[in-house]
Amino acid sequence: MTPPAGTTMAQALNAALRDALDGDERVLVFGEDVGPLGGVFRVTDGLTAKFGEDRCFDTPLAESGIVGFAVGMAMGGFRPVVEMQFDAFAYPAFEQIASHVAKMRNRTRGRVALPIVIRIPYAGGIGGVEHHCDSSEGYYAHTPGLKVVTPATVADAYSLLREAIDDPDPVIFLEPKKLYWSKADVALPARTEPFGRAAIRRPGADATVVAYGPTVPVALEAAEAAADEGWDLEVLDLRTIVPFDDGTVVASVRRTGRCVVLSEAAGFAGVGAEIAARVQERCFHSLLAPVLRVTGFDIPYPPPMLEHHHLPGVDRILDALDRLQRDDEPDTRHLLAGGAA
Amino acid sequence: MTERHRDGRPRPLLPSERPIRFLTDGGTPARGPHPYPEPDPDLLLRAYRRMVVGRRFDAQATALTKQGRLAVYPSSRGQEACQVGAVLALDDGDWLFPTYRESVALVTRGIPPVEVLSLLRGDAHCGYDPHRHHVAPQCTPLATQTVHAAGLAYAERRKGSGRVALAFVGDGATSEGDFHEALNFAAVFHAPVVFLVQNNRYAISVPLERQTAAPALAYKGIGYGVRSEQVDGNDAVAVLAVLGAAVAHARSGGGPFLVEAHTYRMEPHTNADDATRYRADAETERWRRRDPIARLEAYLRGLGRLGDEEAAAIAAEAEEVAARLRAGMNADPDLAPLDLFAHVYREPTPQLAEQRALLRSELQAELHAEEVPV
């Protein structure tokens, strides 16, 4: 099936679910409002009509129940794809995710695997009220046993979701809400790089911007703006946070010598901190400047009229670039070393 | 689907006003009436045998804890009728979703005792193969496994396998959100699952009165549209009768069933607990007089189904099980440190592969150090 030109990310996700349901009887889609309504973002639109209530169905309004039920169904041989309606609504299910979904393979020494996909509309930038905009990737990435995936392109949305459903391990699939309506001319079904491979969305020579999910378009926009100031930025899209692609990140930073890590989430103790630490450990001798993080503030997600102050935008990235030492700037390192020039 | 009595009257969701019992505290027949037929004496004799073996297993595990062979052990003493009754009410293909206290149930299911005790010994989180025995890993978080049981039961219904699931849960865990979500999901999806609440009066130290204001935990089924019953959990005849009906109800498409078994934990919560801080000896003594094994033994002897010779043979079998358990637990387990990384994902991530290499080199260094005389 080839949708018309200008497929949105939401449509690509819908196509991925449709094709997965079509291809494997064991695949089931369930959650709140995913049935006749088609999900509040319409990602499950038309699935109940096409596949019937046995394959795509509404559940009681209870996130822990949805995920726990999926655990039992996966033990019984099905491949559940469940939806948490919004990022912060998933927290009641966190015990099921952390204590059971993530650990069942390990607890049973490989005898019980849980091929579950937990889809979560994620992060901000859509003017949503509180509890609808959290960047929760850090919780999941810090939980061994989970794969954590967040697409930034329409083709990746389709491909990564198909791979998530086929994966033998549980996958937290974070869908950047503000990209649901982003469009691309993509012929579906499309297959992109597998899990664990980052993509270079824009090659560059002066600095590497590491981004994922909702921050990838922001990084690309910043790269265009920075070009006017003489910066040739490389923009790297992680695609999967777990597994993490050290190789591509390290090779890029060793080539450029500078690194900025970009995320919407609060910076403290976040995925961005982990990436910065890894880059520093592996690229120390190639670095020309400290690894910087450009992130949201360490605050609860703000009210919608203030969110633009919180979300890292192009200006905050450009400001960070100013803090990266340039070769054509005077060398001030002797000052730090005590002035003995 | 409306439940009906045998005479055709609709049966309400409400449980019996008093716990169903077939036996008096002394093991003589109790007065009816109630709608449950009495289990076959052969089944009762099997239950007796399993309960005696289970109690000996439990005593041996407690002793092994004192010897440092187990990290911790939550005793089932006093709850044998529930644990054995649940397993005997099921077919081998039916699923069990146990908590950490269900060691006796798992031994009754036929899982080798050493595998049952892996979690508590500390060599593996789950020592047995869940798919082989149709037993989920013993669950330590409270009530989370009840939702899994509902999901698994629904999966079995979808497959038309005819299998049911039984989830064990304690009185304390009925306060957890997942218990309610499990009842609700099971009812809405008509899942063939039996929830067995072993109300043993205390959640560690917190008494039932502080756990709930409901007249009985069995009443919690009503709000979800789940047929419920309460039973004397120290009366093996009643437990088998009620669970037999509950399993038949679920298997025949009647949906979920909630059973509250009134019982008592004779020992502390675990060997690490001091029960004298929160309950009086007199109370424990009252429950001792309702001992489930003594009651069933008296009843079977009264029926003429159990004599001295057979009782001695069963006791001897229990001793053998204990001896094998001692031998198994006194042998050091085979530990494979590098397996720490084997089952996080099906394929280790590059980061885990690096960490595995680190542990491997640490292990090699240890081996090397052992070879070098100091």
Side-chain angles (χ1 to χ4, degrees):
Chain A
M1 184 187 82
T2 305
T7 304
T8 67
M9 181 180 280
Q11 287 169 334
L13 294 166
N14 180 264
L17 292 172
R18 193 177 292 259
D19 291 351
L21 284 162
D22 225 7
D24 187 343
E25 284 288 319
R26 298 170 301 169
V27 174
L28 303 175
V29 172
F30 56 92
E32 295 155 21
D33 303 309
V34 300
L37 179 69
V40 295
F41 292 103
R42 303 295 182 265
V43 171
T44 56
D45 193 26
L47 300 182
T48 301
K50 179 167 166 60
F51 297 100
E53 285 189 355
D54 274 356
R55 305 290 309 283
C56 176
F57 51 90
D58 289 324
T59 65
L61 202 165
E63 289 78 10
S64 186
I66 292 168
V67 174
F69 205 67
V71 170
M73 292 217 64
M75 289 176 73
F78 288 93
R79 300 182 82 92
V81 183
V82 303
E83 178 176 301
M84 303 280 101
Q85 200 159 74
F86 282 92
D87 31 55
F89 295 2
Y91 299 149
F94 192 73
E95 184 189 17
Q96 285 289 350
I97 294 171
S99 293
H100 295 297
V101 173
K103 291 179 180 169
M104 189 65 84
R105 177 186 292 280
N106 189 257
R107 292 169 73 208
T108 60
R109 294 186 289 177
R111 285 154 169 162
V112 181
L114 296 180
I116 296 172
V117 179
I118 301 175
R119 293 181 38 245
I120 308 180
Y122 144 87
I126 60 160
V129 295
E130 64 171 346
H131 309 304
H132 289 71
C133 298
D134 282 17
S135 290
S136 42
E137 69 270 27
Y139 305 131
Y140 304 115
H142 196 64
T143 304
L146 301 175
K147 292 180 177 174
V148 183
V149 175
T150 178
T153 69
V154 175
D156 261 0
Y158 180 91
S159 184
L160 290 173
L161 184 52
R162 290 298 305 274
E163 188 176 350
I165 295 168
D166 289 342
D167 201 280
D169 290 305
V171 177
I172 304 293
F173 197 86
L174 302 170
E175 300 172 2
K177 286 189 284 286
K178 73 174 181 188
L179 301 184
Y180 271 143
W181 304 282
S182 63
K183 282 188 179 180
D185 292 334
V186 176
L188 300 179
R191 284 301 177 129
T192 57
E193 290 286 281
F195 282 6
R197 302 253 190 92
I200 293 171
R201 298 290 178 209
R202 182 192 194 281
D206 295 338
T208 301
V209 180
V210 179
Y212 54 88
T215 59
V216 172
V218 182
L220 288 169
E221 199 186 331
E224 290 305 311
D228 296 340
E229 299 178 16
W231 281 95
D232 182 17
L233 293 186
E234 179 144 305
V235 175
L236 203 144
D237 173 4
L238 285 182
R239 303 173 69 252
T240 60
I241 298 171
V242 181
F244 181 78
D245 184 358
D246 276 308
T248 301
V249 175
V250 166
S252 172
V253 177
R254 283 188 181 155
R255 204 164 55 240
T256 62
R258 296 180 178 85
C259 181
V260 175
V261 186
L262 182 60
S263 75
E264 273 191 34
F268 187 81
V271 167
E274 171 64 25
I275 296 168
R278 300 184 84 83
V279 167
Q280 178 272 128
E281 284 173 355
R282 288 161 178 76
C283 307
F284 184 75
H285 295 292
S286 307
L287 286 171
L288 302 166
V291 181
L292 297 181
R293 283 168 288 160
V294 176
T295 71
F297 298 127
D298 296 335
I299 57 171
Y301 199 85
M305 293 177 76
L306 293 167
E307 72 176 353
H308 63 286
H309 294 296
H310 166 72
L311 295 173
V314 169
D315 287 346
R316 201 176 296 162
I317 298 167
L318 296 178
D319 287 347
L321 294 177
D322 287 344
R323 285 150 57 208
L324 293 178
Q325 236 161 350
R326 291 289 299 268
D327 293 340
D328 53 357
E329 287 170 357
D331 187 346
T332 55
R333 277 171 293 187
H334 62 284
L335 298 174
L336 295 173
Chain B
M1 175 182 304
T2 310
E3 284 289 297
R4 291 190 181 280
H5 284 287
R6 273 174 292 175
D7 63 9
R9 282 180 298 119
R11 179 183 286 173
L13 295 170
L14 279 166
S16 164
E17 275 184 37
R18 293 168 187 282
I20 300 292
R21 58 175 1 206
F22 279 67
L23 302 181
T24 64
D25 287 358
T28 55
R31 281 173 202 272
H34 48 67
Y36 301 95
E38 180 162 337
D40 183 85
D42 288 343
L43 177 61
L44 297 180
L45 190 60
R46 276 173 61 211
Y48 173 77
R49 198 170 134 229
R50 292 300 176 186
M51 287 163 67
V52 170
V53 169
R55 177 162 298 182
R56 185 65 189 87
F57 166 91
D58 194 80
Q60 187 60 63
T62 301
L64 285 161
T65 311
K66 288 173 184 153
Q67 295 159 25
R69 284 287 177 182
L70 288 173
V72 67
Y73 184 72
S75 171
S76 301
R77 189 183 183 88
Q79 300 181 220
E80 292 89 348
C82 299
Q83 297 210 5
V84 170
V87 176
L88 295 191
L90 297 170
D91 293 342
D92 285 349
D94 294 330
W95 276 82
L96 286 168
F97 284 77
T99 78
Y100 49 80
R101 197 178 298 286
E102 265 67 69
S103 299
V104 168
L106 302 199
V107 171
T108 305
R109 180 43 85 88
I111 301 176
V114 171
E115 290 183 18
V116 169
L117 290 174
S118 281
L119 171 73
L120 301 165
R121 171 157 68 172
D123 56 302
H125 296 313
C126 178
Y128 51 87
D129 181 343
H131 282 301
R132 183 171 164 210
H133 299 284
H134 293 116
V135 178
Q138 287 173 282
C139 193
T140 309
L142 295 183
T144 51
Q145 84 284 3
T146 58
V147 203
H148 306 166
L152 186 282
Y154 179 59
E156 296 294 350
R157 205 196 109 198
R158 290 278 299 259
K159 293 188 288 187
S161 71
R163 286 174 176 163
V164 307
L166 184 143
F168 292 97
V169 65
D171 44 303
T174 65
S175 300
E176 293 275 6
D178 271 0
F179 175 71
H180 300 272
E181 298 191 21
L183 284 173
N184 197 36
F185 269 72
V188 167
F189 289 104
H190 225 63
V193 55
V194 175
F195 300 99
L196 173 58
V197 179
Q198 289 178 81
N199 173 4
N200 68 12
R201 321 312 284 190
Y202 293 92
I204 304 189
S205 70
V206 178
L208 187 68
E209 296 71 32
R210 185 46 69 94
Q211 204 63 248
T212 182
L217 296 173
Y219 283 69
K220 288 176 184 276
I222 302 165
Y224 301 101
V226 172
R227 168 99 176 93
S228 304
E229 190 55 279
Q230 52 179 335
V231 62
D232 179 339
N234 283 21
D235 174 351
V237 185
V239 168
L240 279 163
V242 170
L243 283 178
V247 169
H249 168 98
R251 205 188 302 283
S252 64
F257 200 112
L258 170 67
V259 177
E260 177 190 13
H262 294 266
T263 185
Y264 193 79
R265 154 169 57 79
M266 296 303 295
E267 300 293 324
H269 170 64
T270 68
N271 58 295
D273 170 36
D274 177 6
T276 64
R277 282 173 170 257
Y278 55 85
R279 65 187 193 188
D281 287 348
E283 179 184 283
T284 313
E285 192 47 45
R286 275 201 304 283
W287 279 92
R288 202 178 302 282
R289 290 197 289 272
R290 295 180 205 163
D291 182 86
I293 295 179
R295 281 167 82 180
L296 183 58
E297 178 168 342
Y299 183 63
L300 287 170
R301 283 180 183 270
L303 283 183
R305 293 300 300 249
L306 180 68
D308 289 343
E309 205 173 312
E310 188 156 16
I314 290 170
E317 183 192 337
E319 284 308 318
E320 274 177 41
V321 168
R324 279 204 304 276
L325 177 61
R326 278 196 303 275
M329 295 297 286
N330 284 329
D332 289 327
D334 283 333
L335 298 176
L338 293 177
D339 275 357
L340 288 174
F341 302 98
H343 306 299
V344 184
Y345 303 94
R346 193 171 70 181
E347 301 296 333
T349 61
Q351 291 76 32
L352 283 176
E354 282 176 19
Q355 292 169 17
R356 185 180 187 279
L358 171 65
L359 180 59
R360 186 190 197 65
S361 67
E362 287 174 0
L363 292 169
Q364 280 168 344
E366 274 175 34
L367 277 177
H368 186 66
E370 276 171 20
E371 285 164 12
V372 179
V374 187

